[in-house]
Amino acid sequence: MSLLQINTVDRLDRPSAYYAGKNKRRRDRDDEKEQEDPNSKLHNATTLYVGNLSFYTTEEQIHELFSKCGEVKRLVMGLDRFNKTPCGFCFVEYYNHQDAVDCLKYIGGTKLDERIIRTDLDPGFEEGRQYGRGKSGGQVRDEYREEYDPGRGGYGRAYDEQRAREEEEYGAGR
Amino acid sequence: MADYERRNHGPRGGGGGGGRKRRYRDDDDFDRRPQRRRYEEPLFVQVRRQLLTIAESAARKVEDDIIGIAKSVAENFDDEELRETFVNISLDLVQEQPMKIPFVAATTLVAYNLKAELGAEKHIDSGSWREVKLVLRFLGGLQPLFEGDGIFPLLEELFARAVDLQTASSEDLLGLELVKVILFTIPYVMSSPATGFETQAMGLLEKTDIIASTPHALVDLVNTFSPEENKEAAGPSVISLLQSQLQGEASRGWELKCLPGVQEIEQDEQDLGQKFFEPVNKVSFPQINVPNPVQNGARPLFPEVYISVFANQEIDTVPPPSDVTSLLLRDALVDTINLLDFNRVATAKYLIDVDCYFTPDTFVKRATPFDRMRDLAGLGQSWKPEDVAVDAVFSQLYQLPTPEHKLVYYHALLTECCKIGPAAIAPSLGRAIRFLYNNLETMDLELSNRFLDWFAHHLSNFGFTWKWSEWVDDLDLPAIHPKLAFINGALDKEIRLSFAQRIKGTLLEPYLPLITEEKEKDTPEFKYLSELTPYSKEGQEIMQLIRKKAGDEEIEPLITAIEEQAQSLGVEDPKVPSTDALMTSICFVGSKSLSHVLSCIERNKERLLAIGPVSQRARCQIIASVMEYWADQPGIAINIIDKLLNYTIITPYSVLEWALSESMKAGTVLAKAHIFEMISATVGKVTNRMRQIVVARTQSGLYEPQLSVLEETLSRERSEMQTLFKFIEDSIVSVAAGSNDELMERGDGSGDLPEDAIIRQWGRRWLRVFRRKVAVEEAFIMDSLANATPVGTVAPMQADDGNDGDIKITDADGQ
């Protein structure tokens, strides 16, 4: 392990731009004066958000891979808000902060169930966060997808609806 | 124009609107904004960039890099920012990217200047010996700059410390580490443009010989191959190898073929009529104090053994251990790998680019096929860069007792290498796999399990494709043969990362029987559904109640019913069948997923917790029921066992008891990879806890009464750990010796069945692993406790309010 404060190549265990951006947006809106470091919540974080999973990937598979970085304390599957079926993300909680950080370095960007998965340090799971926030119950990213992804329900669901409506209205319109 | 320019700042430039949303990390790593107006870049930024990427490109000549940077620095030496950047980046590179040290040193040499505040002292004080080694290497490269003997007095001083340590104890490892640091510095000094230091180097080498060549007692314990199993394959220790390599090199006048010399620059010198390497003013070697005695670093030291997964090929693709090139390359690569664990992508790139950092003749062209190496073999020796890189990663993956980082880092690094250069790396990995597979029988058991784990994980990243046709013949071997055990274990691990049907699809026909129909079932049968199973009626009812989340009072009568029946049937311990029904029901109801079974266990926790204290055999039955229910998917079973241990429903001892006594099956259980995995995990839990207690006990500022409390916990846990290890030793030693009762009763009792020899070998390999664990853990405890505050130490009067207190006491006395 390097002992340097500033490294000569980039680090893979930094919080993602998504996390930084999310906090920035919130701060702007609230117009808070305190300029607290948005990453301070992550200093001892033991939880990871894991994304780009297939809907069919099981807890056991996730456990198998993620326990390579340390003992997993808790695993929360991301579920479709309406169907309560897996919708392609999860939270993995470790006992140690270092295990979570190592996971960013060694597991993020590798494959699970033949998909490249994404990991992000997370301030911690809260009840409610296990559900997709998309309009149709899944993750937002699965609403508008133009390419076909068999592991994540095919095309974007918004298009599904649109297509179904068009088909239905086809006869009536004439 | 202004408008036009703003567009180039893109979405980040505050222009707002438009632009792609940056959602993924990738977007951050590669900023593809068109970069214009580069001429405004300040010189120090330019030098910084040039220095960071020194020697990285095969397209540029490294000499030009060196001279370019050096010129900028020399010509603008008054620019403080530039000077600082140059010094800082140079030192950072030295400590993080060791392969670039010779180039950075050359640059510094050419720039004629050196700042002495090098920070070596800091590392020596803290015992960061790798960093010491790297800074020394840098200083060694600067040898021509220094007055007198330059770096040699410092090396002599380090050696004196090593001698002290070695004289004090023959088991000392720190002294060996110091000698290693010294030895690895010498070749870099000798390859620097400095001349006339042969006598000093020779003198030092003669002195280190006695320390470096004496084999350390622990070498056999950490060898890749147990010398008992395979004397030939057991490698020499790195330090003794290095000593003899350097002595050989000295006798050949310090050829040091692979180290990037400066001949090309010397060529340029002549062309340009300019002398680059003759410093106008020599400077004195920076003052570095070596503390006495020197400190141990944070990482416990163990002897290192040289291992190559490309040994004994028909054509050598990596330098043989007799060639100093082997260790110089290995050392630089391994340090790079371990220092840059925070960016495996960058590390993989440096590994692939290894040929940029050594002399051009060291390596053949990248991605030269193995068959082509045959043709090249006659024409001078050059090595295959991919093999050298892959070899270095494997040396870490197979480092005993443990490598610096988690094993998964080395997995990920190999994956990354394969992604960057599939055509070049994949064939190298193929040959490495073949070597490891062919040596499975004699390899250290812990390492063959690491191989198994890596293999399955690696394949999971590449569509599970492997040339299974190679091993088809081995399917006829007995089931307990290490090779077939490996195949079975690997397929099981693949399934765990994927699913049975998928893995089946990647296999050849002869392998298909290995993946049984049961393995494809998501929910294994519930045995009580069959009328033939004893207590089937009660079993089914218990299951229904657990499914309905019924309360304990509803389950109790059924448990009693089973126990009464069992009693009347003369079952020795009626708690055993009732526990079986309960635990099997929990497994079945919770079979949908890990969280299902966990909540089932959680709901019945009190009942389960109550079993152990009443009957040890029933506690063992909890494990037996889980293992039986999930027999076809052992990964799930050992996961549940792990959680049951956390709940303290079962104890580590009971897990060992179940595996190594109840299910020993004449020792054949030792061939099962998941049993080894389970036992290792269980023992790991115990030793981790032990270590935490040791850390708590040895923290500074601890006083009575906490000291006594911790000391008591520590000695209790320590003796429990010893009991555990003793149980393993006692159970396996009989298998290894062939005196296990069941083993003796098999067949005609002669112990000559063809499989008996294999079983005894499994026994020996298990023993070796757990005996090493005992040694490592005991060493950790001893070393840590050496500096602990002794029991009975009372807190001194607190300094802050101590004065106040004193005054008050005197006041009180006075009154």
Side-chain angles (χ1 to χ4, degrees), chain B residues 277-339:
Chain B
F277 290 124
E278 246 163 56
V280 187
N281 301 311
K282 290 212 175 197
V283 295
S284 60
F285 191 78
Q287 180 66 38
I288 295 170
N289 292 319
V290 182
N292 196 2
V294 288
Q295 289 298 306
N296 244 323
R299 234 176 87 72
L301 295 170
F302 285 96
E304 277 171 73
V305 172
Y306 184 79
I307 172 207
S308 168
V309 293
F310 299 107
N312 306 325
Q313 293 181 125
E314 48 173 320
I315 315 148
D316 282 340
T317 55
V318 295
S322 56
D323 184 345
V324 73
T325 311
S326 62
L327 276 184
L328 291 177
L329 291 177
R330 175 66 60 83
D331 176 61
L333 284 167
V334 163
D335 285 343
T336 305
I337 292 169
N338 284 334
L339 284 166

Side-chain angles (χ1 to χ4, degrees), chain A residues 1-2 7-8 10 12 59-61 63-64 68-69 71-72 99 102 105-106 108 111 114, chain B residues 25 96-97 130 338 341-344 404 406 453 461 496-497 502 593-595 639 643 646:
Chain A
M1 204 190 325
S2 169
N7 303 109
T8 55
D10 293 334
L12 297 182
E59 275 181 50
E60 282 71 16
Q61 285 170 283
H63 201 281
E64 179 70 23
K68 290 185 195 296
C69 267
E71 190 174 342
V72 174
D99 292 344
D102 284 347
K105 294 185 287 187
Y106 311 148
K111 280 186 181 176
E114 303 179 60
Chain B
R25 184 190 298 283
E96 259 185 14
Q97 302 188 28
R130 175 176 47 209
N338 284 334
D341 80 293
F342 54 83
N343 188 337
R344 60 175 199 267
E404 181 171 341
K406 291 179 175 139
D453 199 42
N461 271 282
R496 286 201 229 166
L497 285 165
R502 167 78 179 108
S593 76
L594 193 61
S595 38
N639 224 333
K643 303 293 177 195
N646 288 353

Side-chain angles (χ1 to χ4, degrees), chain B residues 711-726:
Chain B
E711 182 67 23
E712 202 195 304
T713 319
L714 192 136
S715 53
R716 192 182 56 237
E717 297 276 334
R718 192 174 181 179
S719 82
E720 263 174 42
M721 182 178 90
Q722 284 159 345
T723 318
L724 216 60
F725 278 124
K726 181 149 188 329

Side-chain angles (χ1 to χ4, degrees), chain A residues 1-4 6-18 25 58-65 68-75 77 95-96 98-100 102-116 118-121 140-141, chain B residues 21-25 28-29 52 89 92-93 95-97 123 128 130-131 338-346 350 404-406 408-409 411-412 416 419 453 457 460-464 493 496-499 502 592-596 636 639 642-643 646 685:
Chain A
M1 204 190 325
S2 169
L3 302 174
L4 297 184
I6 301 166
N7 303 109
T8 55
V9 296
D10 293 334
R11 300 188 65 98
L12 297 182
D13 54 4
R14 298 261 183 259
S16 70
Y18 173 80
R25 278 204 301 281
T58 63
E59 275 181 50
E60 282 71 16
Q61 285 170 283
I62 297 166
H63 201 281
E64 179 70 23
L65 181 65
K68 290 185 195 296
C69 267
E71 190 174 342
V72 174
K73 186 177 177 188
R74 185 165 61 152
L75 206 166
M77 292 296 278
Y95 286 95
N96 302 315
Q98 190 57 45
D99 292 344
D102 284 347
C103 203
L104 292 179
K105 294 185 287 187
Y106 311 148
I107 290 185
T110 67
K111 280 186 181 176
L112 174 59
D113 217 355
E114 303 179 60
R115 299 175 64 90
I116 293 198
R118 177 175 115 80
T119 53
D120 199 357
L121 217 48
V140 179
R141 58 171 288 211
Chain B
K21 237 177 140 185
R22 289 181 301 114
R23 243 182 266 188
Y24 302 112
R25 184 190 298 283
D28 251 4
D29 293 344
L52 280 175
I89 299 287
D92 286 354
L93 276 175
Q95 292 174 60
E96 259 185 14
Q97 302 188 28
H123 294 310
S128 316
R130 175 176 47 209
E131 281 67 24
N338 284 334
L339 284 166
L340 293 181
D341 80 293
F342 54 83
N343 188 337
R344 60 175 199 267
V345 186
Y350 291 134
E404 181 171 341
H405 298 290
K406 291 179 175 139
V408 63
Y409 165 54
H411 296 190
E416 216 59 49
K419 270 202 235 165
D453 199 42
H457 186 199
S460 81
N461 271 282
F462 296 95
F464 297 103
K493 286 246 169 186
R496 286 201 229 166
L497 285 165
S498 182
F499 50 101
R502 167 78 179 108
K592 206 170 167 211
S593 76
L594 193 61
S595 38
H596 281 83
I636 298 181
N639 224 333
D642 195 77
K643 303 293 177 195
N646 288 353
K685 260 193 206 309

Side-chain angles (χ1 to χ4, degrees), chain B residues 50 53-57 60-70 107:
Chain B
Q50 285 174 341
T53 59
I54 192 166
E56 270 183 21
S57 161
R60 287 191 313 261
K61 271 171 74 185
V62 61
E63 304 84 277
D64 297 343
D65 280 6
I66 295 174
I67 295 173
I69 302 171
T107 313

Side-chain angles (χ1 to χ4, degrees), chain B residues 389-410:
Chain B
V390 164
D391 219 7
V393 187
F394 274 108
S395 80
Q396 293 308 289
L397 198 53
Y398 293 129
Q399 182 80 50
L400 282 173
T402 44
E404 181 171 341
H405 298 290
K406 291 179 175 139
L407 294 167
V408 63
Y409 165 54
Y410 306 102

